[in-house]
């Protein structure tokens, strides 16, 4: 792997954190100025992901906190440990598994799926391949590793280029073909630059976007106002919008209620993903969403 690709993969592999290293570029939060939420929310609310026809829980269980090189804080729990954490989430109404090849979390999700009805859960994963041949190989390998015949959502992981919709047209074509064959149900991307995010908003191919958003601008593509403006365009176009970095990669670990209220107030996120590292953290997160006001 080329050094630049290694650096990009490592940077993009740092997932949504509950507790994590201090970030950078933080801005003053506007969340404290938000009016009360118009209604109550639940982590287990059934939500529609854009116009994909996929319905799942509002909260996705992230498996990539500080993730990269096929490892993450969640996979460090071991296959049994992470599987038990995911099953605990299922028991509390969570139906959305957020995995990725770069997190190394496919075997852990596979173990979880052995104990659940496949059609009751949503499996999202991500490919770092940038050419058609590697992407086809990934789709075959991912399904073997996950122990499933199909993947609900497959994203091109960590796109950063303004011209990515042209540069990676071959990858996009492979994912479109996979959808036609029933190998995946929806395709899209995760974005790691404002230029890539804007390109995703303009692209009719993007059905689902995974975007970084929180009230302090931590580890985001641009300031909160800029990013949410692009996400509103995506939402208006019928794309599924899933939030990540909700807690600013740990920078809001002492301000979880503020971060969650901000995410819930945006009226632009279909769902959002946060990686817990224990049942206690997971259940605390579920409780906080339920009492957000």
């Amino acid at each position: 792997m080329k050094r630049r690709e290694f650096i990009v993969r490592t940077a993009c592999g740092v997932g949504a954190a509950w507790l994590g290293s201090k970030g950078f570029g933080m801005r003053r939060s506007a969340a404290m100025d938000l009016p009360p939420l118009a209604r109550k929310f639940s982590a287990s609310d059934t939500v529609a992901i854009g116009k994909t026809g996929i319905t799942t829980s509002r909260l996705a269980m992230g498996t990539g906190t500080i993730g990269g090189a096929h490892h993450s804080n969640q996979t460090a729990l071991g296959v049994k440990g992470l599987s038990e954490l995911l099953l605990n989430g299922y028991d509390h109404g969570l139906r959305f598994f957020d995995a990725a090849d770069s997190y190394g979390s496919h075997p852990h999700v596979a173990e979880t799926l052995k104990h659940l009805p496949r059609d009751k859960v949503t499996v999202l994963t991500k490919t770092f391949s940038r050419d058609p041949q590697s992407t086809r190989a990934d789709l075959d390998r991912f399904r073997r590793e996950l122990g499933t015949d199909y993947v609900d959502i497959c994203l091109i992981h960590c796109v950063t280029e303004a011209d990515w919709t042209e540069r990676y047209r071959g990858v996009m074509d492979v994912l479109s073909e996979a959808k036609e064959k029933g190998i995946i149900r929806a395709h899209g991307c995760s974005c790691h630059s404002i230029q890539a995010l804007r390109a995703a908003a303009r692209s009719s191919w993007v059905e689902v976007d995974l975007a970084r958003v929180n009230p302090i601008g931590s580890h985001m593509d641009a300031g909160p106002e800029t990013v949410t403006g692009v996400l509103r365009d995506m939402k208006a176009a019928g794309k599924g919008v899933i939030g990540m970095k909700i807690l600013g990669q740990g920078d809001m670990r002492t301000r979880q209620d503020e971060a969650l209220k901000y995410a819930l107030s945006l009226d632009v996120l279909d769902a959002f993903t946060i990686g817990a590292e224990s049942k206690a953290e997971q259940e605390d997160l579920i409780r906080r969403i339920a009492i957000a006001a």
Side-chain angles (χ1 to χ4, degrees):
M1 183 186 298
K2 295 180 180 178
R3 182 176 181 275
R4 181 183 181 279
E5 184 180 1
F6 172 79
I7 292 171
V8 170
R9 289 194 181 202
T10 301
C12 293
V14 179
W18 180 268
L19 295 174
S21 59
K22 186 172 179 61
F24 57 88
M26 295 194 298
R27 298 172 174 85
R28 184 185 181 277
S29 172
M32 288 186 293
D33 300 327
L34 290 172
L37 294 175
R39 62 185 179 90
K40 288 291 187 180
F41 293 88
S42 170
S44 61
D45 286 339
T46 299
V47 299
I49 305 299
K51 295 181 179 180
T52 63
I54 296 171
T55 57
T56 189
S57 60
R58 183 178 305 281
L59 179 63
M61 293 179 277
T63 63
T65 301
I66 317 299
H70 304 286
H71 182 271
S72 73
N73 289 15
Q74 281 74 32
T75 61
L77 299 172
V79 171
K80 183 175 185 293
L82 180 49
S83 174
E84 289 177 350
L85 179 61
L86 298 177
L87 287 170
N88 186 68
Y90 183 89
D91 289 342
H92 285 80
L94 306 186
R95 299 292 184 265
F96 198 171
F97 301 145
D98 172 23
D101 185 33
S102 66
Y103 309 158
S105 57
H106 290 166
H108 309 71
V109 173
E111 178 60 29
T112 309
L113 293 178
K114 292 177 182 178
H115 307 281
L116 300 174
R118 176 65 183 89
D119 62 345
K120 300 299 182 183
V121 295
T122 300
V123 177
L124 179 154
T125 193
K126 315 170 190 81
T127 175
F128 244 117
S129 290
R130 297 300 195 250
D131 65 84
Q133 183 177 0
S134 297
T135 304
R136 288 193 184 91
D138 275 357
L139 291 174
D140 289 339
R141 176 170 59 85
F142 290 1
R143 287 182 294 153
R144 289 196 303 271
E145 291 175 348
L146 289 163
T148 182
D149 293 334
Y150 67 95
V151 172
D152 295 284
I153 303 170
C154 188
L155 306 180
I156 306 175
H157 203 166
C158 191
V159 293
T160 58
E161 301 88 348
D163 65 345
W164 74 266
T165 56
E166 296 301 323
R167 186 178 302 206
Y168 304 132
R169 174 56 60 183
V171 174
M172 295 160 65
D173 289 344
V174 169
L175 293 177
S176 294
E177 179 185 347
K179 181 183 174 183
E180 291 176 2
K181 293 181 177 180
I183 293 171
I184 64 175
R185 296 176 65 194
H187 45 62
C189 62
S190 69
C191 294
H192 284 254
S193 80
I194 190 62
Q195 294 83 6
L197 190 68
R198 286 172 173 150
R202 293 191 298 268
S203 172
S204 61
W205 178 87
V206 174
E207 299 172 315
V208 179
D209 185 85
L210 184 61
R212 304 187 289 183
V213 61
N214 57 70
I216 61 175
S218 176
H219 300 273
M220 284 177 56
D221 300 333
E225 296 82 5
T226 299
V227 168
T228 54
V230 179
L231 298 185
R232 288 190 183 96
D233 291 341
M234 287 184 170
K235 185 77 169 177
K239 301 181 189 302
V241 182
I242 302 169
M244 60 175 167
K245 296 291 191 293
I246 302 300
L247 300 181
Q249 198 171 302
D251 288 338
M252 298 192 73
R253 58 189 176 275
T254 61
R255 301 164 63 185
Q256 299 99 319
D257 294 334
E258 184 181 347
L260 292 169
K261 181 178 179 180
Y262 179 77
L264 293 168
S265 72
L266 290 176
D267 197 30
V268 67
L269 302 179
D270 297 321
F272 52 83
T273 179
I274 300 177
E277 296 177 31
S278 70
K279 292 179 182 179
E281 284 185 358
Q282 185 182 69
E283 291 170 18
D284 181 63
L285 178 60
I286 292 168
R287 178 187 65 82
R288 289 177 184 274
I289 293 172
I291 65 173

